[in-house]
Amino acid sequence: MHDVAAAAGVSLATASRVLGGSSRRVAPEYERKVLAAAASLRYVSDLSARAMRRETDTVALVADDLTTPSIGLVVAAMERQARTVGAFVTVSSTRGTPERQYETVRTLCAFRPRALVLTSARILAQSAGGRLLDELLAYQQQGGRVVIFGVTDMPFDSISVDDRGSARLMGEHVAATGHRRVVVLAGARDRMNVSSRTSGFVEGLLAGGLDIQDIRIENCEVSRQGGLDAVRLLLERGLGDTDAIVAANDLIAIGALTALRAAGVDVPARLSLTGFDDIPLAEDLTPRLTTIALPLADIGAESIRMALAPSPGGPVRQTVGGTLVVRESTVSR
């Protein structure tokens, strides 16, 4: 703030009133000078003093997308676990872009939360040109704790899902129940978690005796609408002898089921349908959805336990797998 005051040609008290949001009025001319200097110097208010005066500990969660049911389960579990030790969770969304991850973390660090939890399909050391890693390391050196839920090469504690191995279970099950012409709704190519699931599906199907030419991969948006649009297009082209649709997550499967039902295609009599994640809605569908259940609530709770525990001295890596849940959306052929 001293630099901002000097650059603006005003007193430190005046700069403090402008940047600190004081109720005391500052002449518009001086306010403009202070704000221009702050922007030129890329000044970020240090909110640590106010943060440290708070009696309640804060864990800041940085997530790609807060609108999905799966992240909702994680966040709810995190909040429950945090409250058992008098802490609370704040949540920010970045849409999965490295630059927004960096900017969000940079801003949050000014508030000095007790811990940061980042959740994304992949968080790499070179994200945002390495600036994200630098920001997290600086935060950790000041006593903060960092935990990552997702695949990472950063030197922090992390929890990841074995998407590929879990998806292989589904591929093996679909093959073992007699399905021989399978469409995989693979989601977006640039999403690491669904790409890993697609690889696992294919591995399981091949291990179960299918030929590679009998497996058709269709990319789509990772959403209910993505599944709906992909199956509508599939129906326009003709189902042929397709006897199963394997979706990269439950939301895609729900969209697929909507399109199939609208077209009069019976699930599972005409073809089987599967998902991945086991969100609560999966059990409420008709037919109930065969899927891979991930321990999302356990992951959320464990993330908080790791974040609020003393540092173990080196990065702890945990990997969790999914469980096959067979319901009425699949039958044997």
Side-chain angles (χ1 to χ4, degrees):
M1 190 175 292
H2 287 83
D3 293 339
V4 173
V10 300
S11 69
L12 181 62
T14 297
S16 177
R17 291 188 191 108
V18 173
L19 298 174
S22 173
S23 60
R24 297 182 63 181
R25 298 294 299 275
V26 174
E29 176 187 359
Y30 293 143
E31 182 178 11
R32 284 194 297 271
K33 288 181 177 180
V34 170
L35 293 176
S40 175
L41 295 172
R42 292 179 58 82
Y43 175 81
V44 176
S45 298
D46 184 1
L47 301 172
S48 59
R50 274 176 285 175
M52 288 188 292
R53 286 199 296 268
R54 294 174 181 167
E55 296 181 356
T56 306
D57 289 320
T58 305
V59 178
L61 170 66
V62 181
D64 286 353
D65 183 359
L66 300 177
T67 64
T68 65
S70 55
I71 195 63
L73 292 170
V74 173
V75 172
M78 289 179 65
E79 290 182 330
R80 287 194 300 269
Q81 182 64 31
R83 290 183 185 279
T84 66
V85 292
F88 68 98
V89 177
T90 64
V91 186
S92 301
S93 175
T94 66
R95 299 179 186 171
T97 63
E99 193 62 33
R100 287 195 62 169
Q101 288 174 340
Y102 164 69
E103 291 293 347
T104 300
V105 166
R106 181 170 177 265
T107 300
L108 288 172
C109 285
F111 289 88
R112 298 288 181 88
R114 181 172 172 181
L116 284 171
V117 178
L118 284 72
T119 174
S120 183
R122 177 170 52 183
I123 301 177
L124 301 180
Q126 290 306 309
S127 294
R131 291 175 296 156
L132 177 59
L133 175 60
D134 291 342
E135 192 72 37
L136 292 172
L137 286 172
Y139 168 74
Q140 182 175 255
Q141 289 167 2
Q142 294 169 2
R145 291 277 281 122
V146 178
V147 174
I148 294 174
F149 170 29
V151 175
T152 186
D153 59 354
M154 291 187 179
F156 307 112
D157 294 351
S158 66
I159 304 175
S160 61
V161 172
D162 180 10
D163 285 299
R164 187 167 185 158
S166 302
R168 182 182 173 112
L169 297 175
M170 182 61 78
E172 291 173 344
H173 171 72
V174 170
T177 47
H179 298 87
R180 287 297 175 265
R181 300 290 186 276
V182 178
V183 172
V184 178
L185 299 183
R189 292 186 179 91
D190 61 349
R191 293 277 291 271
M192 183 175 179
N193 60 336
V194 293
S195 294
S196 295
R197 292 174 187 183
T198 298
S199 297
F201 293 144
V202 172
E203 287 178 1
L205 291 167
L206 293 176
L210 272 73
D211 295 324
I212 191 64
Q213 63 266 25
D214 296 325
I215 304 170
R216 180 174 168 183
I217 296 175
E218 297 287 348
N219 293 103
C220 64
E221 181 181 308
V222 184
S223 65
R224 175 188 175 278
Q225 189 64 46
L228 183 71
D229 292 341
V231 171
R232 281 175 174 169
L233 184 59
L234 182 65
L235 290 166
E236 288 177 8
R237 296 171 179 168
L239 284 176
D241 52 3
T242 299
D243 54 15
I245 294 177
V246 175
N249 73 8
D250 291 343
L251 285 181
I252 295 174
I254 291 169
L257 180 61
T258 300
L260 291 168
R261 181 175 292 147
V265 178
D266 192 309
V267 176
R270 170 61 180 83
L271 57 76
S272 294
L273 176 67
T274 71
F276 197 111
D277 285 337
D278 198 26
I279 62 175
L281 186 56
E283 196 166 9
D284 294 332
L285 298 173
T286 303
R288 298 188 308 154
L289 187 64
T290 293
T291 188
I292 295 291
L294 296 181
L296 296 171
D298 292 343
I299 290 170
E302 182 61 18
S303 296
I304 294 297
R305 283 191 287 267
M306 294 172 73
L308 298 181
S311 174
V316 173
R317 307 288 194 200
Q318 294 188 25
T319 302
V320 298
T323 303
L324 176 66
V325 179
V326 179
R327 299 193 180 107
E328 292 81 17
S329 69
T330 54
V331 293
S332 296
R333 301 292 172 194

